[in-house]
Amino acid sequence: MPPPQPYPGMYYQPMTPEHMLSHRNVWLVNAIGLVVIWIGMLVHLASPADATSLHIAQFFVVSGALLGALASTAGALGSKKTTDLQNVGLLVWAGSLALLAGFALAAMGI
């Protein structure tokens, strides 16, 4: 008697963090972080005298910078598909996002 044939459908393959750190995902999260920083600056420019909008703008700027910097750092340290030069570029980009957030917060008068 022959052994039973395996099910011909698709098999579940677990998603590891290494596979989630693709170039496209890192780029997309960085783009979202930049958009959130931009929205924070627009909120500040819309009503600079209001304390509530200032706090909302600060939250957006810091959240966007953290989102982009963490994605870049994770892509640099966790992805096995990137070269050393790409890792350095991602780490420099993470530092640039932190610097951009610092300048944005300084422009808000923090």
Side-chain angles (χ1 to χ4, degrees):
M1 186 164 205
Q5 295 295 322
Y7 179 71
M10 294 187 60
Y11 291 101
Y12 172 73
Q13 184 175 3
M15 191 73 163
T16 61
E18 180 182 307
H19 290 111
M20 287 189 280
L21 292 174
S22 67
H23 297 282
R24 180 181 15 184
N25 290 344
V26 171
W27 186 89
L28 181 68
V29 173
N30 274 299
I32 290 170
L34 282 175
V35 168
V36 170
I37 292 172
W38 180 68
I39 288 172
M41 290 303 295
L42 287 179
V43 167
H44 172 67
L45 291 174
S47 57
D50 186 22
T52 304
S53 67
L54 179 65
H55 291 297
I56 291 171
Q58 290 171 3
F59 173 76
F60 279 143
V61 168
V62 171
S63 297
L66 280 175
L67 183 68
L70 288 176
S72 295
T73 305
L77 298 178
S79 179
K80 293 188 165 95
K81 295 179 181 179
T82 57
T83 63
D84 291 338
L85 193 58
Q86 288 173 336
N87 290 340
V88 169
L90 284 169
L91 291 173
V92 167
W93 175 249
S96 299
L97 276 176
L99 193 63
L100 173 67
F103 283 138
L105 291 174
M108 289 181 196
I110 309 293

